[in-house]
Amino acid sequence: MWGGRFAEGPSAIMREINASIPFDKALWRQDIAASKAHVAMLAACDIVTDEDAETIIGGLEKVAAEYEADGVPEDWDLEDIHMTTESRLAELIGPVAGRLHTARSRNDQVATDFRLWVREAMEEAIAGLEALQRALVTRAGEHADSIMPGFTHLQTAQPVTLGHHLMAYYEMAARDVSRFSDARERLNQCPLGSAALAGTGFPIDREMTAQALGFAGPTTNSLDAVSDRDFALDYLTAASQCALHLSRLAEEFVIWASQPFGFVRMPDTLSTGSSIMPQKKNPDAAELVRGHAGRIVGCQTALMVTMKGLPLAYSKDMQDDKPPVFEAASLLRLSIAAMVGMVADATFRTDRMRQAAELGYATATDLADWLVREADIPFREAHHITGAAVKLAESQGKALDELTMDELTNIDSRIDERVYKALSVEASVAARKSHGGTAPDEVRKRVAQAREALGMN
Ligand code: ARG
């Protein structure tokens, strides 16, 4: 491509370190689409003839058909997807292929291709997250009344409903969707026409190519357009945050599926066995979602460090932007899909959850609240009295509501019969009807809003 200036070809090491075709061939569709838009614009602006443009577009379509059928050939001498396509185009249509690269550089070309690719990855993540939200909302609706222990420090804290717990992840997924959509909007400007770094002297129409490729408009600074990769970092940041959420949900499944908890039976389809222990059913998919989160965060870190300290405009370091994005995207796609399956198909063992809520003194706060409300005792004192009741119950291996009236009045004479109503796990969750609380009616309200937002009604 640049033989004119060179007396000698590149060394073997140079060829190998330079070649991005092994991974950037993933951009071939975007590269063809951007080239077609570019040459159509060149013709509309009378920079190439209509006839040449037609020949080039026909040739690009042929190249695309070949890639579709046989894959993209990997020739290190052709470095990357851009030169691979251009060289095949020249083989197919002859020297007229050389007109395609008028008013363009690989720098604006790759920035455009990569934006198109990342834009699709963002859309894919949003679609996946919406599927996850639908699964969560469906299961939450089924379990708006199912009582389980809520935890702090992974110690039983207060009873909550499983519906409420699942809807917490719905909210996280909703914020993840909004992060990807924000990022998509910021990304959606077209670098094509920025050329190598300074723009071009040809009378091009950047609005036209931007529009043809579905961008809101052209970028407004050529140096920025060819050398920023913050759109990719926005994607990786949103992906990392999303992966952390998925990992936390996966971790809950791992804990819930463990025998001592026994809150959930994992779908067979997302579990594996052991080669030695016949009884085993391991939550490998959940564990891998947890593991993948680490790798996705690693991809984000990799690109941040690549970009740190690069002067304007393009440097070859930026070729390394693609592998972490491609890797994160495929890990995220799998992670979301695995969690959709897990949420949709897990069997929740509501009997076990309820039993655990009852065994863990989860309604102790309700006893303290009752003493405040009904006996006008300051909360700190009520907390102390309740502590004594829990201590007594624990020493006798009883639940709080199994303490007799005598036992309770011995602790504090202001307690009366009505307290038992407050001590059931049902009463506890039903009482928590503050906005966003765990009361079944509150959960149902939020589920209904979510279904509406997802168009599920
Ligand atoms: N393969 C290159 C990349 O991915 C394309 C841009 C090359 N530009 C250049 N000036 N060498 O970044």
Side-chain angles (χ1 to χ4, degrees):
M1 293 279 172
W2 45 65
R5 191 199 182 290
F6 286 77
E8 261 190 291
S11 72
I13 292 299
M14 184 64 221
R15 288 167 63 237
E16 185 168 357
I17 197 172
N18 205 30
S20 56
I21 187 68
F23 53 86
D24 70 16
K25 62 185 183 177
L27 295 175
W28 74 261
R29 288 172 208 281
Q30 290 75 13
D31 197 61
I32 298 271
S35 287
K36 283 164 78 174
H38 180 68
V39 75
M41 179 278 290
L42 293 178
C45 297
D46 293 323
I47 300 166
V48 301
T49 63
D50 288 345
E51 201 193 331
D52 286 350
E54 258 170 55
T55 310
I56 291 170
I57 287 173
L60 286 168
E61 283 167 359
K62 255 188 228 137
V63 176
E66 290 180 2
Y67 289 170
E68 187 80 74
D70 310 319
V72 179
E74 273 183 44
D75 178 350
W76 289 355
D77 287 328
L78 295 174
E79 285 194 22
D80 57 25
I81 185 60
H82 322 295
M83 303 230 281
T84 300
T85 299
E86 198 181 320
S87 121
R88 182 62 188 144
L89 184 68
E91 284 169 11
L92 289 170
I93 65 173
V96 63
R99 296 195 185 275
L100 169 61
H101 213 54
T102 316
R104 179 177 88 165
S105 149
R106 277 188 296 162
N107 295 348
D108 60 338
Q109 195 180 352
V110 74
T112 304
D113 294 358
F114 198 29
R115 279 194 194 222
L116 290 170
W117 196 96
V118 172
R119 189 172 72 187
E120 270 177 50
M122 288 170 175
E123 287 163 1
E124 188 190 30
I126 290 170
L129 282 166
E130 285 171 351
L132 179 61
Q133 287 180 296
R134 280 193 291 276
L136 286 164
V137 162
T138 302
R139 301 312 302 270
E142 292 164 21
H143 291 289
D145 293 289
S146 306
I147 291 171
M148 64 178 282
F151 300 95
T152 61
H153 314 266
L154 199 55
Q155 306 281 316
T156 300
Q158 294 176 350
V160 295
T161 62
L162 174 58
H164 195 50
H165 196 119
L166 293 173
M167 285 304 282
Y169 286 98
Y170 166 87
E171 304 293 347
M172 293 177 229
R175 291 193 297 278
D176 290 333
V177 167
S178 93
R179 256 180 290 276
F180 281 115
S181 344
D182 283 354
R184 187 198 184 283
E185 193 168 327
R186 257 193 308 281
L187 162 149
N188 207 27
Q189 298 191 324
C190 185
L192 203 57
S194 301
L197 75 165
T200 174
F202 289 99
I204 58 172
D205 180 351
R206 294 195 56 209
E207 287 286 347
M208 184 179 164
T209 41
Q211 209 193 348
L213 296 169
F215 288 103
T219 51
T220 44
N221 182 300
S222 59
L223 291 166
D224 174 47
V226 293
S227 68
D228 106 79
R229 290 295 182 268
D230 55 12
F231 65 90
L233 279 168
D234 272 356
Y235 170 75
L236 289 171
T237 303
S240 297
Q241 180 60 73
C242 175
L244 298 194
H245 288 154
L246 298 173
S247 174
R248 295 184 70 185
L249 179 56
E251 167 69 357
E252 306 246 35
F253 274 96
V254 171
I255 294 171
W256 292 356
S258 69
Q259 282 70 25
F261 266 79
F263 284 7
V264 78
R265 242 181 245 109
M266 292 292 252
D268 284 356
T269 50
L270 290 168
S271 307
T272 57
S274 156
S275 55
I276 171 168
M277 295 165 282
Q279 86 283 12
K280 284 286 235 171
K281 179 169 158 188
N282 294 328
D284 293 39
E287 294 165 82
L288 285 164
V289 169
R290 205 171 53 183
H292 285 2
R295 291 173 63 191
I296 292 172
V297 172
C299 291
Q300 182 209 19
T301 306
L303 184 53
M304 289 214 264
V305 180
T306 297
M307 295 308 294
K308 176 189 169 298
L310 291 187
L312 298 184
Y314 179 88
S315 297
K316 199 63 173 262
D317 315 43
M318 292 166 67
Q319 177 164 284
D320 281 345
D321 57 358
K322 287 165 239 25
V325 170
F326 293 162
E327 184 184 359
S330 79
L331 293 172
L332 188 67
R333 183 175 47 76
L334 277 169
S335 299
I336 294 175
M339 292 320 294
V340 172
M342 227 172 282
V343 171
D345 298 332
T347 308
F348 293 109
R349 302 179 63 187
T350 51
D351 51 330
R352 297 268 312 180
M353 290 184 174
R354 205 202 135 92
Q355 207 182 358
E358 280 176 347
L359 286 179
Y361 303 103
T363 59
T365 314
D366 298 273
L367 173 53
D369 286 352
W370 185 90
L371 291 166
V372 170
R373 235 182 11 250
E374 303 297 332
D376 198 26
I377 298 173
F379 184 77
R380 279 293 157 228
E381 196 186 336
H383 186 287
H384 191 79
I385 297 167
T386 306
V390 170
K391 193 169 164 207
L392 177 67
E394 200 176 39
S395 71
Q396 307 192 357
K398 284 181 177 176
L400 268 183
D401 60 356
E402 287 166 356
L403 290 173
T404 64
M405 203 59 245
D406 275 355
E407 285 169 333
L408 285 168
T409 47
N410 260 346
I411 293 169
D412 195 286
S413 60
R414 288 166 290 187
I415 302 177
D416 64 48
E417 286 286 344
R418 294 171 304 157
V419 78
Y420 287 110
K421 272 214 183 100
L423 294 184
S424 75
V425 287
E426 276 80 16
S428 174
V429 295
R432 292 203 161 60
K433 46 184 188 278
S434 54
H435 179 80
T438 195
D441 285 344
E442 271 301 305
V443 173
R444 271 188 279 272
K445 209 159 74 188
R446 187 66 189 126
V447 165
Q449 288 167 350
R451 292 183 65 95
E452 176 86 34
L454 292 165
M456 288 171 76
N457 290 331

